[in-house]
Amino acid sequence: MGGGHFDTWVFVHNSRDGLGPEVLKKLLNLEAANPNIKVMHWGFEELRQEVFKLSDIDIASLLGPAPSSNDVHNLSFEDLQVVLLTIARQQPSNEPDLRPVPKAKLSANKLSHNVEILLKAGMRKASLVEVSVKHNPPWHNTQV
């Protein structure tokens, strides 16, 4: 298979639920037929882990720049409406409501300093979301 050109073969997929048994069987057969080559599969989580091994500059190049303080300051309901409509269309979570969020949550999650800054900046507009949902729910006059 590799002809001495590589020692690892990775099947990359976009399924968050993993691979089906037929695909896994094919990968095991491929590895058995090529004992000198390691056969692996990467899904969403493996790709996510690889992305966040990159430098901040490379991540920004891949995902786009983080919002600036000016972007956050100028955030309007129209900007939020797409997000709120998407949330409104999702099935309710079976997870318990964990509010209020403890103040130590950011440090407990071991998020980077930059992520902590972005989350705190985003919280400045939390009242906009609350007011918008109370007075103009995104699901009002919309099929969900």
Side-chain angles (χ1 to χ4, degrees), residues 11-141:
F11 178 73
V12 180
H13 60 89
N14 64 354
S15 173
R16 288 182 181 238
D17 299 327
L19 297 174
E22 306 83 21
V23 176
L24 289 172
K25 183 178 179 184
K26 292 276 188 190
L27 293 175
L28 288 170
N29 290 341
L30 184 62
E31 188 170 42
N34 299 278
N36 295 329
I37 298 175
K38 180 175 181 158
V39 176
M40 303 168 56
H41 58 92
W42 286 7
F44 177 84
E45 183 58 27
E46 292 83 3
L47 292 171
R48 187 190 69 76
Q49 288 176 18
E50 287 299 312
V51 165
F52 289 109
K53 288 179 186 175
L54 298 171
S55 70
D56 288 346
I57 291 172
D58 289 338
I59 291 173
S61 174
L62 181 66
L63 302 178
S68 68
S69 59
N70 198 32
D71 293 332
V72 174
H73 178 73
N74 293 323
L75 189 68
S76 68
F77 174 70
E78 289 75 26
D79 298 320
L80 294 174
Q81 195 166 19
V82 173
V83 175
L84 296 173
L85 285 169
T86 301
I87 292 169
R89 288 184 180 112
Q90 293 179 359
Q91 292 295 320
S93 172
N94 291 330
E95 299 293 319
D97 187 352
L98 301 176
R99 288 177 286 178
V101 177
K103 291 186 187 272
K105 180 88 170 145
L106 288 175
S107 59
N109 283 335
K110 297 182 176 144
L111 300 173
S112 73
H113 179 67
N114 291 340
V115 170
E116 187 174 334
I117 289 170
L118 288 172
L119 287 172
K120 286 179 179 177
M123 289 304 295
R124 293 188 319 203
K125 293 293 185 166
S127 61
L128 176 63
V129 175
E130 185 176 355
V131 168
S132 297
V133 170
K134 282 182 181 175
H135 298 300
N136 186 19
W139 47 88
H140 182 71
N141 296 329

